[in-house]
Amino acid sequence: MNREEEIKAAIVVLPDEILFASPEESKASQAAAFHSHQLTEFVQTVDPELTRAEAISLTAVIIKDALGHFKEDPELVTQLKQIAEQLRGLRKS
């Protein structure tokens, strides 16, 4: 990793460790956070009386439950594999 890449990368602090994220990981994390935020915004339209913290908690439950759906549905796993293959095809050589 050159100096410019190091500057663009992020430091991730977890309870038990500190990680160094590549620029690609940082960008991907930003995209995940953006879409999580969009889901939270939608959740609040479903029940406007939810506090922001409650809407974020419900978003976390939705994400957690989605994992169960992927594990139980072979069709979803197949779709996930196809998307993963497309993403790998976008890698820079």
Side-chain angles (χ1 to χ4, degrees), residues 13-74:
V13 179
L14 301 173
D16 297 332
E17 61 186 321
I18 296 175
L19 303 174
F20 188 75
S22 70
E24 294 82 9
E25 291 168 331
S26 180
K27 184 178 177 182
S29 293
Q30 288 175 5
F34 174 77
H35 292 294
S36 176
H37 174 77
Q38 286 188 315
L39 181 55
T40 299
E41 292 290 316
F42 173 73
V43 165
Q44 284 195 288
T45 67
V46 172
D47 187 344
E49 294 184 27
L50 287 174
T51 67
R52 186 73 177 161
E54 291 166 340
I56 292 169
S57 293
L58 182 50
T59 299
V61 169
I62 292 167
I63 293 169
K64 182 185 85 168
D65 288 350
L67 178 59
H69 293 297
F70 276 103
K71 288 180 176 181
E72 295 170 3
D73 189 337

